[in-house]
Amino acid sequence: MVSSRTIGGIGLAVALVAAGVVAPRVNALPPGTPSSPGMFVAPGSGTDTTPITWGLTAPDDRCPGDTTTDGVRWSTFLASVFVDTATLTYNASGPIVPPGAPVGTVVQPLSSTGGVAQVSLSTVDTTGVIAPIIDVNLDANTGASGVSDGAYQLGIACVSPTGDTVRHWQALVTISGVTATSLDWSLGTVPGAPVLSGALTPGDGTLSGSFSASLSTPPQTGYQVTATPQGGGAATTLSTSTAGGFVITGLVNGTTYDVAVSATNSVGTGLSSNTVSGTPTLLPRPPVSSLSASPGTEQVVLGWTAPSGPAPIGYTIDVTPAVAGAPFSVGAASTSLLIPGLTGGSVYDFTITPLHTAPFVGAPRSSGPVAAFAQQIGTGGIEVLRPVGALVLTQRCGVYGALPEELPSAGFPAVPALPASVDQVGTAPSTDLGFADPVFAEYPYPAVPTYPTRCGVDMGTARLVTTGGFAGAYFAASGRLNQISVVDTRDVDPGFTVNGTVTDFVSGGQVFAGSLLGWSPVVTDDSDASFDGYDQLVIAGAVVGPGVASGLASARALAFAPAGRGLGIASLDARLKLLIPVTADAGTYTATVTITTI
């Protein structure tokens, strides 16, 4: 069989191509649902002798045909979780193991609580309703029949006179404790492995990071984040009820820990995530902020804002080249210092370091070069207008920034770092009016407001996911966003947020959700610290996993700058990841990514 998925065109597009065959379908249950629409199963758990009450509810309770006129009959099945139950065939004894199935594949009928196999039943009435559906149990499906611990599908199928499945309903169950005569079962399966994102951030006896959850039926009830010393010793475990950011405390500074996450639901605890290592470190206390150096006649006045966090007990100020009295010491309440005795016209660097009680030290911060005025100076009137400025978003087609390496995630292997594109000029994006942006030569700061523009994204050829929780259920493709430039020159400096959303992917009458697109944002560059100490701060948005929550179907931050730290030019990039359901029919799928800034 040959099967592939290709993505390209303006916006995002997906296509399926098959050579002479039809790609097989997989389990028809949507992710995160315990059973097919219209089917109910009770109770939620039991043993091999526990009666299972099940049935179908309108309007999803009908076969396409009846027994009397069309010869449609119905049967029950218990099948290994990897079996495509939509393709099962039946004989008078029930479902048949598919040809070429792996050794150990389970395909069996279910029996009533009285031990009667529920197979080839002729109770499909003229409206297509199956009645009655008798309670069953798993007494006939214990270990002696070949069933072992693991995940299975149990269900009901409408069967044509030739033995083919014409409609079916199913529920997921986990079977455990199997012996030759007994077993236990629960509706649903244990959660898949979570995914730890990126590197851990060290702190004083702490490691912090974030993780995303995998799909789970039933839903996850909690997570365990475990830090294990590499050199041996007791592990430290953090329990949390939600996925996302975490901080593990009580660790030993200087010891390297392996950190992994596992998820738990009512069925049990799933596999551990990927492992990320980190070493807690006694980090320097924060530096002062808003450090400024104002030159005067043979003097400079330093000003600063006290650092965040624990208050310092004082400050030390160093001067390069050295001057009389340096280094200077001031008290904790001071936020300015006049330094006299400088040589007019000479250039000096000033470094201020907060002081803390041992063993803590403050991080230093330098002012940058400052020239004192000479004693004799001339004066004159100078007038200049500082414009109000604007917030401008631009994109250059074919230009990419460097992307870091990325660890494996659900459906995707580890990927190496990607260099920046050789071409850092690129081409003009197209406009909604059908021609190239005429102000492209003025990028990244056009003199006039621009209008909607777009660059195409080609994500290459998708490959079937063959490992992990998504194996056999999705194709995966990845690509890069054309680099985004954000220029903020507004004098009020309110900060900004750059958001991205994507539409559903469409091919003719076929659609799959835009939530299956995710990204890993990167701030490739931003404006350096200025002469007066101003330093733009642009922060990359959170990694959005494909299929996690709403993916990029809802507005997600590509990057943001807080108020007071947005002035300057920032370059933004992102790695794109897309999961394509194998149930999607062949065709070229397109979607539109919209990037906005406010």
Side-chain angles (χ1 to χ4, degrees):
M1 182 185 73
V2 178
S3 180
S4 63
R5 302 278 165 113
T6 303
I7 307 171
I10 292 177
L12 296 179
V14 181
L16 173 68
V17 180
V21 294
V22 177
R25 292 171 292 170
V26 297
N27 191 311
L29 288 181
T33 57
S35 59
S36 301
M39 185 179 188
F40 63 87
V41 180
S45 62
T47 68
D48 54 295
T49 59
T50 301
I52 300 174
T53 299
W54 61 341
L56 306 173
T57 58
D60 297 306
D61 62 344
R62 300 171 188 270
C63 292
D66 61 81
T67 299
T68 303
T69 304
D70 303 307
V72 174
R73 304 172 75 84
W74 68 280
S75 285
T76 61
F77 62 84
L78 177 73
S80 299
V81 72
F82 54 80
V83 172
D84 183 358
T85 52
T87 64
L88 285 177
T89 58
Y90 294 77
N91 58 25
S93 299
I96 301 170
V97 176
V103 174
T105 299
V106 171
V107 175
Q108 300 173 4
L110 297 167
S111 295
S112 68
T113 55
V116 178
Q118 300 297 287
V119 298
S120 193
L121 300 170
S122 58
T123 52
V124 180
D125 66 21
T126 56
T127 66
V129 173
I130 300 173
I133 298 177
I134 299 171
D135 287 359
V136 296
N137 61 28
L138 301 183
D139 193 38
N141 305 101
T142 55
S145 69
V147 171
S148 59
D149 289 8
Y152 294 86
Q153 309 164 85
L154 60 81
I156 299 168
C158 301
V159 181
S160 72
T162 59
D164 296 317
T165 299
V166 293
R167 185 172 186 180
H168 71 298
W169 299 259
Q170 60 195 0
L172 295 175
V173 297
T174 296
I175 293 177
S176 59
V178 177
T179 69
T181 59
S182 66
L183 56 78
D184 298 312
W185 62 269
S186 299
L187 279 178
T189 59
V190 296
V195 177
L196 265 172
S197 305
L200 300 173
T201 300
D204 183 11
T206 67
L207 288 172
S208 59
S210 64
F211 67 91
S212 57
S214 62
L215 300 173
S216 175
T217 304
Q220 290 97 335
T221 55
Y223 306 89
Q224 295 77 45
V225 185
T226 302
T228 304
Q230 286 187 354
T236 300
T237 300
L238 168 71
S239 296
T240 178
S241 59
T242 59
F246 64 86
V247 179
I248 305 179
T249 60
L251 306 180
V252 178
N253 288 328
T255 297
T256 300
Y257 292 82
D258 291 331
V259 177
V261 186
S262 61
T264 301
N265 62 11
S266 58
V267 178
T269 299
L271 297 174
S272 292
S273 70
N274 54 302
T275 298
V276 179
S277 299
T279 305
T281 305
L282 185 62
L283 298 176
R285 293 285 172 84
V288 301
S289 58
S290 304
L291 176 60
S292 63
S294 301
T297 303
E298 297 183 342
Q299 66 182 26
V300 167
V301 177
L302 297 180
W304 64 88
T305 301
S308 60
I313 59 175
Y315 301 93
T316 296
I317 295 95
D318 292 285
V319 184
T320 303
V323 298
F328 302 96
S329 296
V330 298
S334 299
T335 56
S336 64
L337 178 67
L338 185 151
I339 302 178
L342 306 182
T343 301
S346 295
V347 177
Y348 297 87
D349 288 301
F350 302 91
T351 301
I352 181 167
T353 304
L355 302 176
H356 294 272
T357 55
F360 299 99
V361 296
R365 172 157 290 186
S366 297
S367 67
V370 181
F373 296 153
Q375 195 166 34
Q376 301 297 324
I377 60 174
T379 61
I382 299 177
E383 182 176 285
V384 65
L385 174 65
R386 195 277 197 201
V388 174
L391 178 64
V392 181
L393 181 75
T394 57
Q395 188 175 37
R396 295 171 292 169
C397 302
V399 174
Y400 306 98
L403 296 177
E405 65 179 343
E406 195 159 321
L407 295 173
S409 58
F412 296 86
V415 291
L418 293 175
S421 59
V422 175
D423 179 7
Q424 287 293 299
V425 176
T427 58
S430 62
T431 71
D432 286 349
L433 303 178
F435 52 80
D437 188 353
V439 298
F440 177 68
E442 300 174 12
Y443 281 11
Y445 190 26
V448 297
T450 56
Y451 28 78
T453 57
R454 61 191 67 207
C455 294
V457 177
D458 184 357
M459 295 182 69
T461 300
R463 296 182 179 275
L464 181 67
V465 178
T466 58
T467 60
F470 290 162
Y474 293 92
F475 289 83
S478 60
R480 302 171 75 173
L481 189 68
N482 290 272
Q483 189 173 79
I484 301 291
S485 294
V486 182
V487 181
D488 192 359
T489 57
R490 298 170 295 177
D491 53 0
V492 293
D493 194 11
F496 59 81
T497 298
V498 181
N499 289 324
T501 58
V502 67
T503 63
D504 286 344
F505 290 79
V506 179
S507 175
Q510 297 294 316
V511 178
F512 68 85
S515 61
L516 293 177
L517 179 69
W519 64 16
S520 302
V522 175
V523 177
T524 312
D525 192 25
D526 60 11
S527 294
D528 295 331
S530 64
F531 181 81
D532 64 356
Y534 182 84
D535 193 0
Q536 184 185 39
L537 175 64
V538 183
I539 303 169
V543 173
V544 178
V548 176
S550 59
L552 290 180
S554 298
R556 301 287 187 169
L558 180 62
F560 64 93
R565 300 296 297 276
L567 298 182
I569 301 176
S571 299
L572 313 176
D573 289 83
R575 193 188 303 275
L576 300 174
K577 291 184 177 180
L578 179 66
L579 291 175
I580 309 162
V582 296
T583 52
D585 290 344
T588 297
Y589 290 80
T590 61
T592 299
V593 173
T594 300
I595 307 294
T596 58
T597 182
I598 56 173

